[in-house]
Amino acid sequence: MSQIKELYNKLESGEQYNDTAAIRGVEVMDNYLVVKAIANKFLDANGLPVEDNHGTILTQATLDTSRYMQYNSVVLAHHNGERPVGKVTSLNMKEDGLEVILEIYEDNDPQVYNQVKRGTLNALSVGMMINDAEYSEVLDAVIIRSAELVEISLVTNPSNPLSFIEAVDMCSLGVCSAIRSGNPSNIDKEAFKAIIKDMVDSGELDLAAPEPEPTVEPEPEPTVEPEPEPVVEPEPEPTVEPEPEPEPVVEPEPEPVVEPEPELEGYDITPPIVSFEERLEEAAIAFSNKEGEFTSEQVNLLTFIVMNYGSIDSAVKKHLES
């Protein structure tokens, strides 16, 4: 707002100035571009019909613009009905082309606004409804006999190769770029003063109040995240395999050594073969000889007889019967 006040005071005092930097603050509100362009070129520099990229030829007499200007003089971006960027304020149907004055608003589409301002979006294309057309063998093209203008778009690649923007004027608060040129003679001073007066009356602008100093927010100190401590994985304890217990060694018991009985040289140890009768006779002699002592063999014989036969008589009787 300080630049607006400065510009107002200079206009009020009648001071001449050429400082364009001091008045750029005028663009802070209601910025828009005034664009002068050819929406569709009918004739080239040689006066010949211009054929567009679709193989069609349009003439001054065949394009009806009345309903467009009366009801919906919208300007689109790239024929996209969802991107209105401005409007047509003036339309002049000339013999060689359709000349238009557009207003492109920054708050509608900042991207398109800046592209037009910088000249990176600088061509136009018309959208129309064709009512009558015929093919010309002489021109090898379709001649449109009757068509109605529906919309005008800002495009990057126009169908009509000669439809381009011719001039762009930047405006704010109703004052266009004549102010930016630093030439006060081109400024409608009274109109500008009237705008300032309306802003003062509405309380939007106070010429007497000092401009507040801009508040500078301190930049926050960058937060330094501490580096995480490295995680040290504990080394695994070595696995000690238990040593296998040795199997006990069982010593085999030594086989007993049987010493052979020594042979008695000169003696016959083979017992004599004695018959049962002879043994009975010996037993009878031993039994009758009660006064003598029994030999061990006799005791054994007597014991056998008593256990098996009961008495010597029974043994003898049993033997004789057999």
Side-chain angles (χ1 to χ4, degrees):
M1 288 294 184
S2 60
Q3 291 90 343
I4 295 176
K5 290 181 181 180
E6 183 179 355
L7 176 58
Y8 176 80
N9 292 330
K10 287 183 178 182
L11 291 175
E12 186 71 19
S13 64
E15 180 183 350
Q16 301 295 311
Y17 63 95
N18 289 297
D19 185 4
T20 59
I23 61 174
R24 290 183 181 174
V26 174
E27 296 179 10
V28 297
M29 295 177 59
D30 297 332
N31 293 340
Y32 64 94
L33 303 175
V34 175
V35 178
K36 179 182 178 182
I38 300 297
N40 196 92
K41 196 73 170 175
F42 303 138
L43 303 175
D44 63 15
N46 299 320
L48 298 176
V50 177
E51 181 182 344
D52 63 20
N53 294 335
H54 296 97
T56 61
I57 295 175
L58 185 64
T59 65
Q60 174 194 17
T62 57
L63 184 60
D64 182 8
T65 62
S66 58
R67 282 161 51 97
Y68 173 75
M69 289 301 295
Q70 183 179 358
Y71 297 111
N72 188 26
S73 58
V74 67
V75 177
L76 304 178
H78 310 288
H79 297 293
N80 186 343
E82 296 182 359
R83 292 185 68 184
V85 297
K87 66 180 181 180
V88 176
T89 60
S90 174
L91 188 149
N92 185 16
M93 184 71 73
K94 300 174 68 174
E95 183 180 1
D96 64 342
L98 178 60
E99 185 179 84
V100 293
I101 303 295
L102 317 176
E103 287 183 1
I104 308 301
Y105 304 108
E106 182 179 20
D107 55 356
N108 273 32
D109 197 318
Q111 181 182 21
V112 170
Y113 175 90
N114 287 311
Q115 288 173 340
V116 174
K117 184 177 177 181
R118 296 186 177 99
T120 57
L121 184 61
N122 65 343
L124 276 75
S125 178
V126 296
M128 56 188 171
M129 182 169 60
I130 299 174
N131 299 319
D132 186 21
E134 65 177 356
Y135 175 72
S136 172
E137 294 184 358
V138 176
L139 299 176
D140 190 22
V142 176
I143 300 176
I144 298 175
R145 296 297 185 188
S146 175
E148 183 178 352
L149 182 63
V150 177
E151 53 91 5
I152 295 176
S153 284
L154 291 164
V155 296
T156 54
N157 185 21
S159 176
N160 189 297
L162 301 179
S163 298
F164 288 98
I165 292 174
E166 295 181 342
V168 177
D169 207 10
M170 291 178 289
C171 302
S172 287
L173 296 174
V175 182
C176 296
S177 61
I179 296 176
R180 294 177 59 84
S181 69
N183 184 359
S185 62
N186 293 335
I187 300 175
D188 186 345
K189 298 179 182 180
E190 296 305 321
F192 184 73
K193 288 180 182 180
I195 294 172
I196 296 298
K197 183 178 184 304
D198 289 340
M199 294 176 65
V200 173
D201 292 344
S202 65
E204 188 177 354
L205 176 64
D206 186 356
L207 295 175
E211 291 289 332
E213 295 184 0
T215 303
V216 180
E217 295 289 339
E219 294 184 359
E221 296 183 359
T223 304
V224 180
E225 296 290 339
E227 294 184 359
E229 296 183 359
V231 178
V232 180
E233 296 289 340
E235 294 185 359
E237 295 183 0
T239 304
V240 179
E241 297 289 339
E243 294 184 359
E245 295 183 0
E247 295 182 0
V249 179
V250 179
E251 296 289 341
E253 294 184 359
E255 296 181 358
V257 178
V258 178
E259 295 289 340
E261 294 183 1
E263 295 183 358
L264 298 178
E265 295 182 359
Y267 294 93
D268 186 6
I269 60 173
T270 303
I273 299 173
V274 181
S275 65
F276 185 72
E277 291 81 359
E278 290 176 340
R279 289 196 171 194
L280 286 176
E281 186 177 353
E282 288 179 2
I285 293 171
F287 186 75
S288 60
N289 187 14
K290 298 179 181 179
E291 294 180 358
E293 293 182 357
F294 294 149
T295 65
S296 60
E297 186 177 355
Q298 291 173 343
V299 171
N300 291 336
L301 180 60
L302 290 173
T303 301
F304 174 79
I305 293 170
V306 170
M307 290 181 64
N308 289 278
Y309 299 100
S311 64
I312 293 175
D313 294 338
S314 297
V316 172
K317 182 180 178 180
K318 190 73 176 173
H319 179 70
L320 292 177
E321 288 178 355
S322 60

